[in-house]
Amino acid sequence: MRLLIVEDEVQLGENLKKILELKGFAVDWLEDGKKALTRATLYHNDYDVIILDLTLPGMDGVSLTKNIRKEHIKTPIIILTGKSETATKVELLNAGADDYVVKPFSHEELIARIASVARRPSTMPTVVHTVGNITIDTATHKVFVDGDEITLTLKEYALLECFLRRPGEVFTREELSSHVWDFNSMTWSNVLDVHMKNLRKKLELTDSSPRFETVRGVGYRFVA
């Protein structure tokens, strides 16, 4: 799952990015509201959830949310706010936010809120995806092959989730890299190939298992 964080407090932004990446998310972090609007408009299909602060330079969180919704972008938005008044919460929801978190907050609470908005029908009809004998539960990050749970690394899980959401489609190397690693990462193709090789070993256990197909010069496809 890939997140866009918009937070101008450097320490908070750095901490959120580090912690969420340790939890398996790919995270991009911006500090300016106007730059975030440009990024969200151009690359909204790359993000599963947008997390933004209420007070931002360039454009505040409410205005940013309204402008994102004016572009008919349905990506879930969580707003971080230091205001707990009911009127403020109502304003945020009316602006188009899906949820809000009042500062100070625990990282566990934020992760739970991310999982909650990502499960909503407008963006993800189900949290369980099955292709052939492989099933993933996106709420718990558990993976099952023929009903038996297997262990994947965070990057292997992120790749598999990408494939199971759109089985049969060809993913370019650039799409897979941007889904798993953050926007500014320099991810060489051999790094992706190593993760794909390891994922194949863990999942392609029988002749009837779904297969990862290498599309020469393009990327990979996952088919039953």
Side-chain angles (χ1 to χ4, degrees):
M1 184 180 292
R2 189 174 180 187
L3 311 176
L4 173 61
I5 294 178
V6 191
E7 172 58 66
D8 64 319
E9 293 183 31
V10 175
Q11 185 173 1
L12 178 57
E14 289 178 344
N15 288 341
L16 286 176
K17 179 176 172 62
K18 180 179 180 180
I19 290 169
L20 291 171
E21 286 179 337
L22 288 173
K23 294 295 184 179
F25 297 99
V27 181
D28 295 331
W29 168 41
L30 296 176
E31 300 176 47
D32 181 271
K34 288 185 177 179
K35 292 181 180 179
L37 178 60
T38 299
R39 175 73 65 82
T41 301
L42 294 177
Y43 300 101
H44 62 273
N45 288 328
D46 292 339
Y47 294 109
D48 297 284
V49 178
I50 298 172
I51 303 168
L52 55 93
D53 191 27
L54 180 60
T55 56
L56 293 167
M59 182 180 297
D60 65 73
V62 172
S63 299
L64 177 55
T65 299
K66 288 180 178 178
N67 278 281
I68 289 174
R69 295 306 185 219
K70 284 181 181 177
E71 296 296 326
H72 305 290
I73 297 170
K74 297 182 179 180
T75 306
I77 296 174
I78 298 174
I79 295 184
L80 309 179
T81 175
K83 301 178 180 180
S84 59
E85 295 85 357
T86 299
T88 299
K89 298 174 182 177
V90 171
E91 181 185 16
L92 299 179
L93 296 175
N94 286 340
D98 294 85
D99 204 348
Y100 56 85
V101 180
V102 178
K103 300 177 181 178
F105 55 86
S106 68
H107 300 121
E108 290 80 7
E109 178 186 3
L110 179 59
I111 291 169
R113 298 295 181 94
I114 292 170
S116 176
V117 299
R119 286 198 299 265
R120 291 178 183 174
S122 60
T123 56
M124 191 188 303
T126 179
V127 298
V128 176
H129 300 275
T130 300
V131 175
N133 64 340
I134 299 173
T135 297
I136 65 170
D137 184 329
T138 59
T140 62
H141 284 200
K142 291 184 177 181
V143 180
F144 302 89
V145 176
D146 289 326
D148 296 323
E149 185 176 353
I150 65 168
T151 301
L152 300 181
T153 67
L154 294 176
K155 298 304 183 186
E156 289 167 357
Y157 173 85
L159 286 168
L160 180 60
E161 181 181 2
C162 188
F163 283 111
L164 263 67
R165 287 189 181 185
R166 292 158 53 188
E169 294 187 29
V170 177
F171 285 88
T172 66
R173 292 177 178 274
E174 291 76 15
E175 286 178 306
L176 292 171
S177 295
S178 68
H179 180 81
V180 176
W181 288 272
D182 71 73
F183 195 87
N184 296 313
S185 290
M186 283 291 291
T187 304
W188 304 106
S189 61
N190 64 320
V191 175
L192 175 62
D193 291 338
V194 169
H195 282 86
M196 289 300 303
K197 180 180 179 180
N198 293 335
L199 193 55
R200 278 174 156 155
K201 287 182 179 179
K202 293 180 179 181
L203 298 181
E204 296 179 359
L205 303 178
T206 67
D207 292 338
S208 60
S209 297
R211 320 294 292 181
F212 291 100
E213 295 181 350
T214 301
V215 181
R216 187 176 299 275
V218 182
Y220 295 92
R221 173 171 48 215
F222 189 59
V223 295

